């Protein structure tokens, strides 16, 4: 089943409760929360206190994407805040396996992401312990960028690797997803599609979510 996880980076930060209710009503499957530290990526967004506040006002699973250099240091905060999925980056400074194990042992779904220039092969050794893989289809840091075409091949390669090693692991993609390119991404093997501007920028958000998911 294909899922859509709208990125609240494109929401109105003064009205997050309203925008999360809107996403629920519009049929979103999860809410994607982009956490940036101004170091791993050149932008600062939100931290665990905001995730904790969001947890109180929505039933949507919280899909927390940590674009931070030192996830180890803040992990307990994001776990306690009520994250359902926690994604860390392979390129961060934490010991990857230990950090993923910590996420799992807290009963949270563990996910690992790679940036566009990191090869899919680095994921292989972690796949048996992953609930989800996140393939970045733009350079992380900002919403509203265009999908990088060579990343389509990486989605296919990841699909093949997941099917071979751990078919239960979900394949999520993030960055530049639109109503137009979603069908190709799904054909390539994506199962969870993050979409910020394509959902929040649409005049009919329910329609945009349904169209991205393929209804
Ligand atoms: C980029 C973030 C994405 C971003 C997606 O660093 O990880 O989640 O908000 O936004 P769009 O869909 O607008 O590319
Ligand atoms: Zn993201």
């Amino acid at each position: 089943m294909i899922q859509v996880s709208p990125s609240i980076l494109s929401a109105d930060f003064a009205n997050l409760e309203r925008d999360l209710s809107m996403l629920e009503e519009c049929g979103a499957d999860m809410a994607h929360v982009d956490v940036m530290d101004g170091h791993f990526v050149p932008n600062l967004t939100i931290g665990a206190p905001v995730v904790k506040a969001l947890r109180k006002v929505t039933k949507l699973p919280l899909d927390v994407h940590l674009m931070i250099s030192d996830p180890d240091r803040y992990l307990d905060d994001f776990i306690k805040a009520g994250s359902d999925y926690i994604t860390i980056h392979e390129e961060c400074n934490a010991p990857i396996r230990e950090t993923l194990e910590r996420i799992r042992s807290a009963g949270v779904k563990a996910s690992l992401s790679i940036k566009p220039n990191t090869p899919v092969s680095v994921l292989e050794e972690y796949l048996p312990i992953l609930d989800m893989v996140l393939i970045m289809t733009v350079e992380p840091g900002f919403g509203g960028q265009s999908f990088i075409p060579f990343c389509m091949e990486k989605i296919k390669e990841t699909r093949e690797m997941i099917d071979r090693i751990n078919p239960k692991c979900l394949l999520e993609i993030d960055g530049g997803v639109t109503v137009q390119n979603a069908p190709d991404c799904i054909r390539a093997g994506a199962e969870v599609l993050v979409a910020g501007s394509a959902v929040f920028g649409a005049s009919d958000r329910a329609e945009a979510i349904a169209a991205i998911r393929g209804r």
Side-chain angles (χ1 to χ4, degrees), residues 92-127:
C92 78
N93 292 329
I96 302 299
R97 184 172 297 274
E98 285 91 310
T99 308
L100 292 170
E101 295 284 12
R102 270 177 69 201
I103 297 171
R104 281 166 73 89
S105 58
V108 176
K109 303 226 188 287
S111 164
L112 185 62
S113 183
I114 52 171
K115 301 201 278 185
N117 292 319
T118 303
V120 168
S121 57
V122 305
L123 298 168
E124 182 154 358
E125 64 176 299
Y126 305 110
L127 257 187

Side-chain angles (χ1 to χ4, degrees), residues 1 21 23 45 61 66 76 94 99 105 112 116 120 122 132 145 148 155 172 179-180 183 187 191-192 213:
M1 198 198 84
S21 310
L23 291 179
T45 54
L66 299 182
D76 289 340
T99 308
S105 58
L112 185 62
V120 168
V122 305
M132 188 163 80
Q145 306 181 76
I148 299 173
I155 301 173
E172 179 174 60
V179 169
Q180 288 73 31
R187 262 193 297 276
E191 292 169 304
V192 183
R213 193 168 38 222

Side-chain angles (χ1 to χ4, degrees), residues 38-208:
H39 185 260
F40 185 78
V41 288
N43 194 8
L44 265 176
T45 54
I46 58 177
V50 175
V51 175
K52 188 176 173 190
L54 298 178
R55 179 70 293 159
K56 293 190 186 134
V57 298
T58 185
K59 288 199 269 306
L60 287 175
L62 295 175
D63 168 27
V64 177
H65 180 190
L66 299 182
M67 284 161 279
I68 67 179
S69 295
D70 193 1
D72 238 5
R73 182 167 166 194
Y74 302 100
L75 204 56
D76 289 340
D77 295 342
F78 285 102
I79 290 167
K80 279 196 216 113
S83 309
D84 293 277
Y85 285 82
I86 295 182
T87 297
I88 61 165
H89 267 266
E90 193 277 336
E91 306 87 351
C92 78
N93 292 329
I96 302 299
R97 184 172 297 274
E98 285 91 310
T99 308
L100 292 170
E101 295 284 12
R102 270 177 69 201
I103 297 171
R104 281 166 73 89
S105 58
V108 176
K109 303 226 188 287
S111 164
L112 185 62
S113 183
I114 52 171
K115 301 201 278 185
N117 292 319
T118 303
V120 168
S121 57
V122 305
L123 298 168
E124 182 154 358
E125 64 176 299
Y126 305 110
L127 257 187
I129 58 162
L130 290 177
D131 295 293
M132 188 163 80
V133 160
L134 170 52
I135 299 296
M136 286 306 301
T137 45
V138 299
E139 217 35 76
F142 300 93
Q145 306 181 76
S146 300
F147 186 97
I148 299 173
F150 76 72
C151 292
M152 197 61 90
E153 207 46 50
K154 293 181 72 185
I155 301 173
K156 292 183 192 155
E157 229 184 293
T158 310
R159 173 82 273 151
E160 186 278 325
M161 193 187 281
I162 288 177
D163 289 349
R164 183 162 49 84
I165 299 174
N166 180 6
K168 282 200 285 254
C169 177
L170 291 173
L171 201 177
E172 179 174 60
I173 61 164
D174 183 9
V177 172
T178 62
V179 169
Q180 288 73 31
N181 65 22
D184 280 347
C185 297
I186 293 167
R187 262 193 297 276
E191 292 169 304
V192 183
L193 285 76
V194 175
S197 30
V199 169
F200 285 92
S203 50
D204 184 339
R205 289 153 174 190
E207 174 56 31

